[in-house]
């Protein structure tokens, strides 16, 4: 079982869109997938048409009140399960900061799940900040997937999260953590800017850029408002094709081991 954090401290880069649609696309490949929504905004939760209800998130497990298995819920997407988020998850950062070993709370919570390995992949949809929740996600993950919008300052955003990753790689926090890959999102082949950013990313991180590129798409933007993944909302569109290609590339790059 592989735990992958999908993170970028910058908002609006397609992080949650990628979390939802990559999870659904991998699940469509007959893989069992768990999506954990760590963002108090709960966009990944509503994006798979799951209700945002109090007391359903991973909050109680992270503060030692429940176990992680009681938080897992099925979604309407075959093979896709979720631990939803809620607005009170924002208070989790404050409470965790008071506990012993605050940076590895999620890692400890996920350990029984890793031991049982009922899923092939666990995706962690992180909040757009370098706070306790994102830090916990990186401390618990086997790999980091960074969605990057094809715009100016893209490399600057990557450098900040890479710096955090390197700090967490020092034992005993999470030495095995690796960069799974950088995913270019909202790519518009008609603009010189998108082409230039893609060229710079490939020059700076040639071994870590996914060949699959997520295009700018109205359909991808619309799907969450209907509580659907792009595979449900526009199965034959360019967005769905891009995420199916990404799922194939991701699985070949990150074997589940199950």
């Amino acid at each position: 079982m592989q735990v992958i954090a999908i993170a970028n401290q910058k908002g609006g880069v397609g992080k949650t869109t990628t979390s939802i649609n990559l999870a659904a696309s991998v699940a469509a490949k007959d893989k069992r997938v768990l999506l954990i929504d760590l963002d108090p905004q709960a966009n990944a939760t509503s994006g798979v048409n799951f209700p945002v209800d109090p007391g359903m998130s991973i909050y109680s497990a992270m503060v030692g009140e429940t176990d992680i298995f009681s938080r897992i819920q099925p979604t309407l997407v075959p093979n896709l399960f979720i631990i939803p988020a809620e607005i009170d998850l924002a208070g989790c950062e404050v409470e965790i900061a008071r506990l012993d070993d605050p940076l590895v709370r999620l890692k400890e919570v996920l350990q029984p799940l890793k031991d049982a390995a009922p899923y092939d992949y666990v995706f962690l949809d992180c909040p757009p900040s370098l706070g306790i929740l994102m830090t916990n996600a990186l401390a618990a993950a086997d790999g980091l997937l960074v969605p990057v919008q094809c715009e100016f300052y893209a490399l600057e955003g990557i450098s900040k999260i890479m710096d955090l990753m390197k700090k967490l790689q020092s034992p005993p926090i999470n030495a095995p953590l690796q960069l799974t890959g950088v995913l270019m999102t909202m790519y518009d082949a008609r603009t010189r800017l998108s082409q230039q950013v893609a060229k710079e990313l490939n020059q700076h991180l040639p071994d870590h850029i996914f060949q699959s590129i997520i295009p700018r798409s109205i359909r991808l933007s619309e799907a969450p408002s209907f509580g659907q993944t792009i595979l449900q909302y526009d199965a034959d569109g360019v967005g769905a094709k891009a995420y199916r290609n990404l799922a194939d590339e991701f699985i070949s790059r990150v074997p589940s081991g199950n």
Side-chain angles (χ1 to χ4, degrees):
M1 188 179 84
Q2 292 288 319
V3 179
I4 306 297
I6 300 178
N8 191 326
Q9 79 280 359
K10 294 187 67 177
V13 299
K15 175 187 59 63
T16 297
T17 297
T18 293
S19 297
I20 294 170
N21 292 305
L22 177 57
S25 298
V26 170
K29 306 290 182 182
D30 291 325
K31 302 293 185 181
R32 286 175 60 84
V33 178
L34 173 63
L35 174 61
I36 302 180
D37 192 349
L38 292 173
D39 189 343
Q41 298 177 88
N43 290 332
T45 301
S46 59
V48 295
N49 201 30
F50 199 88
V52 181
D53 293 330
M56 297 292 288
S57 75
I58 203 169
Y59 188 154
S60 58
M62 289 186 70
V63 297
E65 294 176 357
T66 58
D67 66 85
I68 190 169
F69 296 99
S70 66
R71 306 292 88 194
I72 299 171
Q73 306 292 330
T75 73
L76 296 176
V77 178
N79 293 326
L80 179 60
F81 299 79
I82 191 169
I83 297 180
E86 58 178 316
I87 189 64
D88 287 351
L89 198 57
C92 191
E93 298 217 352
V94 177
E95 192 160 351
I96 288 175
R98 302 194 193 107
L99 302 176
D100 295 334
D101 300 323
L103 297 183
V104 295
R105 295 299 299 179
L106 182 59
K107 183 177 182 179
E108 293 171 353
V109 166
L110 288 179
Q111 191 57 54
L113 193 67
K114 295 195 78 170
D115 292 341
Y119 303 100
D120 295 290
Y121 298 99
V122 176
F123 292 110
L124 309 175
D125 182 46
C126 300
S129 70
L130 294 173
I132 290 283
L133 287 172
M134 182 194 283
T135 304
N136 263 264
L138 297 189
D142 300 301
L144 167 64
L145 191 158
V146 186
V148 178
Q149 185 178 354
C150 292
E151 62 170 11
F152 283 121
Y153 307 119
L155 285 170
E156 180 182 327
I158 291 176
S159 66
K160 290 181 180 178
I161 197 166
M162 291 288 289
D163 287 343
L164 176 59
M165 186 182 83
K166 289 174 183 176
K167 291 177 182 177
L168 294 173
Q169 282 173 322
S170 58
I173 299 177
N174 193 5
L177 177 63
Q178 297 294 323
L179 179 62
T180 299
V182 175
L183 174 68
M184 289 183 278
T185 65
M186 304 182 194
Y187 181 83
D188 188 343
R190 298 170 300 178
T191 67
R192 187 175 299 175
L193 176 59
S194 284
Q195 296 173 22
Q196 181 181 345
V197 171
K199 181 178 179 180
E200 289 182 359
L201 287 170
N202 277 290
Q203 287 175 343
H204 284 81
L205 295 163
D207 298 327
H208 296 289
I209 304 296
F210 281 102
Q211 296 304 303
S212 304
I213 297 175
I214 309 304
R216 187 174 291 278
S217 165
I218 296 296
R219 293 294 197 179
L220 279 171
S221 302
E222 290 175 345
S225 64
F226 291 90
Q228 294 182 339
T229 71
I230 194 61
L231 301 187
Q232 297 166 302
Y233 185 68
D234 186 28
D236 297 323
V238 295
K241 181 179 179 181
Y243 275 107
R244 281 194 289 264
N245 289 340
L246 176 63
D248 287 332
E249 186 178 0
F250 172 82
I251 291 169
S252 66
R253 186 177 292 200
V254 188
S256 67
N258 281 13

